[in-house]
Amino acid sequence: MELCIKAYKDEYKSIVSDLISDNSFVREDIIGCLDRCPQCGWIVEGECGVLAVGVFTGASKKTSMTLYVKASKRKEGIGSMLLKSLEESMRSVGVEETVCDFKANELEKSFLYKNRYKHWFHSNLMAYTGCKLIVDNHEIINYEDKYYDECQKVFSESFHKMRLSVGLESTLSLPSEKERREYKENAENIFVLRHNNQIVAVVRIEDNEIDAVAVGVEHQGKGYGKSLVSYAVNKLLDRGCIKVTLWVVEGNPAKFLYEKLGFIAERTHEFVVKSIK
């Protein structure tokens, strides 16, 4: 079978969507990545049409990638060929390390391990489909640019502590003007909880997802996380979302809070990483 690898173009979008008809989660993920980074996408075409698609998420030193091969064409070397092209493309724009995640299963695990990807961690996708939640009487307001330094500190220290607690390597993230601009542009989706004129917790939402939530390390265990997650759920329900989702790293005790609020684990993903320098 003669195969051809081509750069992704917008006219392939409906073809790619039809290709991944057997997995709505993967379809939405790949289409979303292609919409954001069309210049980072590749397809594999054969005599009978598009057989595989892959995409990475930008030209930073560490980026994520994902790929999909038509079910009937797996184990024929198509995935390895596409992965090699993706890695060459990433390397050409300065990517040094790539991350991939997949619903935990032996088939995909074997494929990625064979291609020298190494286990990083497991994470659970949790979903809430209930009614509005009760929010305790805390001061919760929209993010403003003047709060950047406080919010960055809360996120940095909280996630650093969490990663170390589950056995992951971690360093504190540093403030940057690029991140500050991104926060400002996304201010309508970031909310802060203040206590005694101090920001003690921050949450960020995106589409129907609670994208990130953090409580300052010295303020944890005081109910601030519960209030802010409940507020975020209600905000997304008000926007018309039927289901609210979030990811939680396996071993993170925050999972118990989410379960108490009514979130249910829907799927577990394994995250793997590879140096491509």
Side-chain angles (χ1 to χ4, degrees):
M1 178 175 58
E2 194 167 330
L3 301 174
C4 178
I5 296 181
K6 297 181 179 180
Y8 173 81
K9 297 179 181 179
D10 286 340
E11 59 253 38
Y12 288 119
K13 183 173 181 177
S14 62
I15 297 172
V16 168
S17 182
D18 291 341
L19 174 71
I20 319 176
S21 60
D22 62 329
N23 193 321
S24 60
F25 182 92
V26 173
R27 181 175 65 247
E28 290 176 10
D29 180 36
I30 288 182
I31 292 296
C33 290
L34 289 169
D35 284 345
R36 292 190 297 274
C37 305
Q39 74 281 6
C40 300
W42 295 88
I43 64 159
V44 178
E45 202 168 43
E47 296 173 359
C48 55
V50 175
L51 305 176
V53 59
V55 60
F56 62 98
T57 55
S60 54
K61 286 189 176 181
K62 187 171 187 175
T63 192
S64 62
M65 74 87 191
T66 185
L67 59 83
Y68 175 89
V69 179
K70 187 175 181 178
S72 62
K73 296 296 181 180
R74 292 169 190 169
K75 297 186 177 181
E76 295 183 12
I78 296 173
S80 294
M81 181 177 68
L82 177 57
L83 181 57
K84 182 180 178 181
S85 292
L86 279 170
E87 290 177 352
E88 288 175 352
S89 182
M90 286 187 279
R91 199 176 292 114
S92 72
V93 294
V95 175
E96 297 179 358
E97 190 174 48
T98 179
V99 175
C100 178
D101 70 280
F102 57 94
K103 187 175 182 180
N105 69 87
E106 287 302 316
L107 181 64
E108 292 181 55
K109 177 179 178 178
S110 175
F111 167 72
L112 288 163
Y113 279 32
K114 182 181 71 176
N115 283 283
R116 296 186 290 114
Y117 283 76
K118 296 181 179 179
H119 172 78
W120 190 13
F121 62 90
H122 284 93
S123 189
N124 301 284
L125 177 66
M126 306 190 73
Y128 179 85
T129 56
C131 302
K132 282 191 174 183
L133 297 170
I134 296 173
V135 180
D136 294 334
N137 188 27
H138 292 127
E139 181 188 2
I140 300 175
I141 58 176
N142 259 105
Y143 171 83
E144 295 181 40
D145 184 61
K146 63 184 178 181
Y147 300 137
Y148 172 72
D149 289 330
E150 284 185 272
C151 290
Q152 194 280 332
K153 183 175 185 292
V154 169
F155 272 129
S156 177
E157 294 181 354
S158 174
F159 280 107
H160 177 62
K161 177 184 177 182
M162 181 277 293
R163 288 190 291 264
L164 292 177
S165 74
V166 298
L168 296 174
E169 293 183 3
S170 180
T171 56
L172 290 168
S173 61
L174 299 176
S176 73
E177 285 305 311
K178 178 176 181 291
E179 182 182 63
R180 184 168 194 152
R181 288 194 301 272
E182 291 172 349
Y183 276 39
K184 187 175 181 179
E185 291 168 0
N186 197 34
E188 65 180 0
N189 293 316
I190 303 174
F191 305 93
V192 301
L193 189 154
R194 286 160 45 100
H195 180 71
N196 291 335
N197 293 318
Q198 180 184 6
I199 292 175
V200 299
V202 189
V203 67
R204 184 172 63 237
I205 59 179
E206 181 179 351
D207 298 326
N208 72 320
E209 181 177 345
I210 298 177
D211 182 53
V213 60
V215 179
V217 294
E218 67 273 32
H219 299 290
Q220 294 176 2
K222 300 178 181 179
Y224 298 135
K226 177 184 176 183
S227 291
L228 202 51
V229 171
S230 298
Y231 181 91
V233 166
N234 293 350
K235 179 67 68 171
L236 288 169
L237 293 178
D238 283 341
R239 292 183 180 182
C241 297
I242 298 173
K243 178 167 74 172
V244 176
T245 63
L246 58 79
W247 288 93
V248 58
V249 174
E250 189 67 45
N252 184 350
K255 183 180 179 183
F256 298 111
L257 165 64
Y258 304 143
E259 289 173 336
K260 287 182 180 179
L261 289 173
F263 282 84
I264 297 173
E266 285 196 335
R267 53 197 293 142
T268 299
H269 278 218
E270 179 174 358
F271 285 70
V272 292
V273 62
K274 179 181 178 180
S275 172
I276 61 170
K277 289 190 292 185

